[in-house]
Amino acid sequence: MLRRTLMRTGGLAAGAAFAGSLWQGAAQALPRRGPGPYGPLVAPDVNGVALPAGFTGRVVARTGRRVGGVLWHPAPDGGACFPDGDGWIYVSNSEVPLLGGATAIRFGPGGAVRGAYRILSGTNLNCAGGRTPWNTWLSCEEILRGRVFECDPYGSRAAMPRLAMGRFKHEAAACDPDRQVVYLTEDEPDGCFYRFRPTHWGDLTAGRLDVLCASSAGAVTWRRVPNPAALLEATRHQVDAARHFNGGEGCHYADGVCFFTTKGDNRVWGYDAEHERLEIVYDADAPLGVVDNLTGTPGGDLYVAEDTGNMEINLITPDRVVTPFLRVDGHPKSEITGPAFSPDGRRLYFSSQRGVRGDTAGTDGVTYEVTGPFRR
């Protein structure tokens, strides 16, 4: 089923409807605060996580402590889940300088940890990333001239840099199998939104990098970045017509729409890939503030994490209601990172990057699992 919506034209007052059925029948207005499908949050559990009734949480990893035989990394950030026989794997980045990298936790069918292992080491400030349709993890360096590394979540193959995807302050990636492209966000105050079209789908070693350029009334065009691997010329300044965004963050593709967030203006955007239109999905200060990583469900719900603020993951439903789904209490200087659903959609993983202490090194990071009656 197509997942499209009514969204406000970026930068304009009037709205234009995306074709299809996502949020069909909703008013031509930005999402509104209201009661969610799971009801209000109840009192925080023993781990300080407030959830709706019927949901339970647990801690699966803590920075500096062993999980599945390895020390869990500091500053856990972007993550994704992968099928693994009768179980699954959760992969998490480490947003620290020089060491960086990513670690995988392998779970059995009942949720017991079967093991853990590094899948990427020796990289720099690995922030978010994205899962590919061929079950690899794209781990992005959020540094000047940063790289994208393609990693094997099963631990069998060495991670490889994909330099054709550009050298810039990478944040997140989302694969569009319909058009066979990968969308990329850039965490700069004047960052851009990119798409990478590999020469051969499933092989990211070569291809063309384009940057989104503004047009009118929500319509956009794409232009080729002349030198994606340039070390002396900023990628985002190579095309004069490029549209710039204030701090690109999370990125999620679902049925023809690529959703992404910009923290500088606290917006959630939607790019209608079929009609090449850019619209604003969310533009408000509450209840969702300091937008960051995001993920979604097959049923069309978006789960958007907050960077600091009151440490919530908010739900944006297909009928355009914005409501808190969970809150982590007692972590005022942290941020929520890495939301990802298990392959069966029954478990949600995420992290508090800096934990209770909130130090910038992320030495108190905590990774959680939430289980419950998620609608799929």
Side-chain angles (χ1 to χ4, degrees):
M1 181 172 59
L2 292 175
R3 300 292 176 195
R4 302 292 169 81
T5 185
L6 300 174
M7 302 178 185
R8 195 181 73 183
T9 302
L12 301 177
F18 282 4
S21 60
L22 178 62
W23 301 346
Q24 190 168 0
Q28 291 192 27
L30 293 175
R32 65 198 183 280
R33 184 169 189 161
Y38 305 119
L41 305 185
V42 300
D45 62 16
V46 295
N47 299 309
V49 180
L51 295 161
F55 290 84
T56 58
R58 65 166 176 159
V59 173
V60 296
R62 291 183 184 273
T63 294
R65 300 188 189 181
R66 289 198 173 273
V67 56
V70 300
L71 291 178
W72 193 240
H73 51 252
D77 207 291
C81 285
F82 300 83
D84 183 44
D86 59 356
W88 61 94
I89 292 168
Y90 178 65
V91 165
S92 170
N93 279 347
S94 177
E95 194 187 14
V96 292
L98 302 179
L99 300 175
T103 308
I105 303 177
R106 177 171 273 130
F107 295 92
V113 174
R114 285 177 162 172
Y117 43 90
R118 294 284 283 178
I119 62 170
L120 177 65
S121 297
T123 51
N124 205 341
L125 286 174
N126 294 82
C127 195
R131 179 180 177 274
T132 70
W134 48 93
N135 285 329
T136 59
W137 169 242
L138 301 180
S139 182
C140 297
E141 290 183 313
E142 190 191 349
I143 59 170
L144 187 68
R145 312 295 189 262
R147 298 161 292 177
V148 176
F149 284 81
E150 187 170 14
C151 311
D152 177 16
Y154 305 98
S156 299
R157 294 170 293 160
M160 298 297 295
R162 301 306 186 199
L163 302 184
M165 300 181 80
R167 301 292 302 272
F168 54 88
K169 201 173 182 181
H170 283 277
E171 178 70 29
C175 290
D176 175 352
D178 302 309
R179 276 146 289 276
Q180 299 188 346
V181 300
V182 183
Y183 301 106
L184 301 159
T185 57
E186 181 177 23
D187 191 359
E188 296 274 13
D190 61 343
C192 292
F193 184 63
Y194 303 91
R195 70 177 182 190
F196 177 69
R197 189 183 303 276
T199 304
H200 303 286
W201 186 236
D203 180 356
L204 303 178
T205 56
R208 167 175 169 159
L209 184 69
D210 295 327
V211 63
L212 182 142
C213 299
S215 184
S216 60
V220 302
T221 58
W222 295 88
R223 295 191 184 179
R224 186 169 192 161
V225 176
N227 189 359
L231 294 177
L232 299 179
E233 182 182 11
T235 305
R236 67 189 185 281
H237 297 153
Q238 290 186 29
V239 177
D240 290 341
R243 175 158 185 172
H244 296 277
F245 298 89
N246 192 348
E249 291 286 341
C251 194
H252 172 73
Y253 175 83
D255 295 327
V257 177
C258 184
F259 300 95
F260 64 97
T261 59
T262 51
K263 63 185 178 185
D265 49 17
N266 201 50
R267 286 176 169 176
V268 180
W269 302 79
Y271 168 64
D272 178 352
E274 182 176 346
H275 299 96
E276 296 195 325
R277 298 184 59 84
L278 181 68
E279 313 289 345
I280 298 173
V281 178
Y282 175 85
D283 184 12
D285 295 327
L288 175 59
V290 203
V291 295
D292 204 307
N293 291 173
L294 77 165
T295 190
T297 67
D301 291 329
L302 287 180
Y303 287 74
V304 187
E306 292 182 333
D307 181 344
T308 66
N310 60 352
M311 288 288 289
E312 289 182 345
I313 292 180
N314 272 242
L315 177 63
I316 305 179
T317 69
D319 56 357
R320 308 177 63 76
V321 171
V322 184
T323 186
F325 171 73
L326 65 79
R327 185 183 65 252
V328 180
D329 286 352
H331 297 203
K333 296 181 180 180
S334 187
E335 63 181 278
I336 292 182
T337 57
F341 282 95
S342 59
D344 64 4
R346 298 180 185 274
R347 301 168 192 255
L348 174 66
Y349 294 89
F350 70 95
S351 296
S352 169
Q353 187 182 77
R354 296 182 289 278
V356 174
R357 291 198 299 269
D359 62 284
T360 56
T363 59
D364 197 29
V366 187
T367 299
Y368 303 88
E369 175 195 85
V370 172
T371 304
F374 291 102
R375 58 185 195 175
R376 298 187 294 278

